[in-house]
Amino acid sequence: MKKIIVIGAGPAGMMAAIKAAENGADVTILEKMKRPGKKMLITGKGRCNITNAATVPEIIKNIHGNGKFLNSSMRAYDNEDVIYFFESQGVPTKVERGQRVFPVSDKAQDVVDAMVHKLHELDVKIETDSPVSEILAHDGEIKAVKLQSGASFKADAVILCTGGASYPGTGSTGDGYKMAQKLGHTLVDIRPSLVPLETEEDWVKSVQGLSLRNVKATLLVDGEKKTDMFGEMMFTHFGVTGPIILSLSRAATEALANDSFVELELNLKPALAEDVLDARLQRDFAKYQRKQLGNAMVDLLPHKLIEPVLDAAFLEMDKPVHQITVEERHRLGHTLQHLPLTITKARPIAEAIVTAGGISVKEINPKTMESKLVKGLYFAGEVVDVDAYTGGYNLQAAFSMGAAAGNWSVWND
């Protein structure tokens, strides 16, 4: 029996261990935390968005960091395979908006429990509280894994699934990068991806906690439109967060790293054409013609947002509605669809959902996930330079890479 050591009991590591064990290997998982799957428990706000129901090409398109690298592994183990796995383990799934796939129970714990139960069923040994210090190789071939305690495990193959450097409280502290670099692998500079953004404008503090649905955020870099997203967002004491902000954040962090000027434009009424919005303003102004402007906006905006929007349009809250000029009304309409925010920086990588960067995909076989430098060394999950938008794509990437690494660690001679 081949002895396979998996370092890290996250989604990629557990899937790799399951596949290796199903192929008859003697598998041990070494996990530094007290229990497996800790980061999975907080994904999807504790609901665990396990995958996306889109086609494989569409999923790959949403993996903006080296998505093409996953062509082979994802076609070998795709989203239908992931859904079948969990449903066969007694975790029925459902598809929600954006084709996000969740457990029917809305409990991430059920997802983790299903994987742990399968590992026990396959007699996979899970060693928790077992941080690894080094992967040992000789003449370009894997030999063993050494723990920080000094203990060592002989191995025919090692699958490195230690995650990135985000949410360090879950165990992702960048250990895997150092292990891989010591064996000669190249680390692509890491940075936060899917991370909240800080803004220059102070008014966001006055609206912190306010969530907006069905809005569009456009990212501008040095005045040029880079990309946009439609959906939900939220204001915080430091700036903005939420699904569309997180999805825009990777491009924002890249631009900030290049010392570019980065802005967001919020379209608070994206469903309305400019002339339709102007007609709506005219109706509201007619309805509230005897009131002050701030009170005339109550049908159009959340109360907290009225003053910031009027300030951005250079209009006074207490100006009588019947005194608003056509030019001022047009300016207000434009502001409602182009509310500006200046992005100063991203939140720290520790607060990012996903880490961009990691072990260079140029040094990994995309079909098998085996190192091109060290025989018997495999990679899977966030430790690899692969990252995606929100929507279940990152977990699907982890499962696909894990399945490939688990299978080929046994099949390869």
Side-chain angles (χ1 to χ4, degrees):
M1 291 175 71
K2 270 196 169 183
K3 286 189 179 295
I4 310 294
I5 300 294
V6 178
I7 305 176
M14 287 194 283
M15 184 58 75
I18 287 166
K19 291 301 174 184
E22 285 179 342
N23 282 288
D26 176 4
V27 184
T28 300
I29 299 179
L30 302 175
E31 168 56 47
K32 70 188 291 187
M33 305 303 286
K34 293 184 183 297
R35 58 179 180 175
K38 193 165 181 185
K39 188 174 179 182
M40 288 179 74
L41 293 173
I42 61 174
T43 61
K45 296 180 181 177
R47 297 171 61 217
C48 198
N49 182 187
I50 59 172
T51 187
N52 193 284
T55 63
V56 168
E58 192 64 29
I59 292 174
I60 288 173
K61 196 185 299 181
N62 279 281
I63 300 173
H64 47 182
N66 292 313
K68 290 180 181 177
F69 172 75
L70 298 179
N71 256 315
S72 181
S73 62
M74 196 167 289
R75 291 181 188 281
Y77 194 80
D78 63 14
N79 49 352
E80 291 183 7
D81 294 313
V82 169
I83 292 167
Y84 175 78
F85 169 80
F86 284 108
E87 296 204 335
S88 70
Q89 295 302 307
V91 183
T93 62
K94 59 182 176 179
V95 180
E96 295 189 1
R97 185 175 48 81
Q99 300 198 77
R100 290 166 162 83
V101 180
F102 289 91
V104 168
S105 67
D106 285 330
K107 293 179 181 177
Q109 187 68 61
D110 291 349
V111 176
V112 174
D113 287 348
M115 298 194 83
V116 172
H117 179 267
K118 185 65 175 178
L119 290 166
H120 288 318
E121 192 178 88
L122 292 165
D123 293 324
V124 173
K125 294 176 281 297
I126 306 173
E127 303 284 348
T128 54
D129 282 320
S130 300
V132 172
S133 64
E134 189 179 3
I135 300 169
L136 303 175
H138 183 68
D139 289 338
E141 193 168 334
I142 287 296
K143 295 299 178 185
V145 171
K146 187 177 179 182
L147 299 185
Q148 287 180 13
S149 65
S152 64
F153 292 77
K154 288 185 177 180
D156 296 305
V158 169
I159 308 175
L160 188 61
C161 309
T162 49
S166 52
Y167 289 147
T170 65
S172 299
T173 53
D175 305 349
Y177 302 140
K178 296 170 190 171
M179 295 179 212
Q181 283 179 298
K182 197 166 183 180
L183 293 170
H185 274 275
T186 303
L187 177 67
V188 176
D189 288 346
I190 62 170
R191 61 189 181 281
S193 182
L194 302 185
V195 67
L197 299 173
E198 296 191 18
T199 61
E200 185 178 280
E201 290 76 9
D202 279 338
W203 63 258
V204 296
K205 294 175 185 174
S206 67
V207 297
Q208 63 178 293
L210 176 64
S211 293
L212 300 177
R213 301 182 68 182
N214 302 320
V215 295
K216 185 167 83 169
T218 300
L219 185 73
L220 303 173
V221 176
D222 293 329
E224 303 262 331
K225 177 185 172 181
K226 182 78 173 175
T227 184
D228 58 40
M229 288 283 167
F230 175 84
E232 298 176 31
M233 63 165 288
M234 186 174 77
F235 294 99
T236 71
H237 66 283
F238 56 76
V240 284
T241 189
I244 61 174
I245 302 301
L246 297 177
S247 291
L248 291 171
S249 65
R250 189 182 198 271
T253 58
E254 285 178 355
L256 289 166
N258 292 324
D259 292 326
S260 295
F261 181 61
V262 182
E263 299 168 279
L264 276 182
E265 276 191 353
L266 304 182
N267 186 339
L268 304 174
K269 299 294 171 185
L272 302 181
E274 190 177 319
D275 59 337
V276 175
L277 177 57
D278 188 56
R280 167 70 190 274
L281 283 171
Q282 290 182 61
R283 287 199 304 274
D284 282 4
F285 285 2
K287 178 180 177 182
Y288 296 110
Q289 60 182 312
R290 295 183 181 178
K291 292 187 177 289
Q292 295 177 332
L293 181 56
N295 295 324
M297 301 294 290
V298 292
D299 295 344
L300 203 58
L301 289 173
H303 180 74
K304 282 185 176 181
L305 206 51
I306 293 173
E307 188 168 3
V309 167
L310 292 181
D311 283 346
F314 303 102
L315 293 169
E316 299 295 329
M317 285 277 287
D318 58 2
K319 185 167 184 176
V321 169
H322 68 270
Q323 292 182 11
I324 299 296
T325 66
V326 172
E327 189 276 330
E328 287 173 330
R329 191 183 72 235
H330 288 167
R331 196 164 72 226
L332 175 56
H334 183 270
T335 302
L336 285 165
Q337 297 191 313
H338 301 85
L339 182 63
L341 284 170
T342 307
I343 304 303
T344 54
K345 62 180 178 179
R347 295 295 284 176
I349 197 167
E351 295 180 29
I353 294 174
V354 172
T355 306
I359 305 306
S360 173
V361 297
K362 294 176 183 177
E363 298 166 355
I364 303 171
N365 183 319
K367 180 179 179 181
T368 65
M369 293 296 141
E370 186 176 20
S371 163
K372 293 179 180 179
L373 309 181
V374 182
K375 183 174 172 56
L377 175 63
Y378 295 78
F379 299 95
E382 203 178 336
V383 73
V384 180
D385 181 20
V386 169
D387 64 291
Y389 291 123
T390 58
Y393 307 112
N394 285 292
L395 270 181
Q396 178 62 52
F399 290 136
S400 294
M401 284 189 275
N407 285 328
W408 285 97
S409 65
V410 182
W411 296 342
N412 275 344
D413 293 327

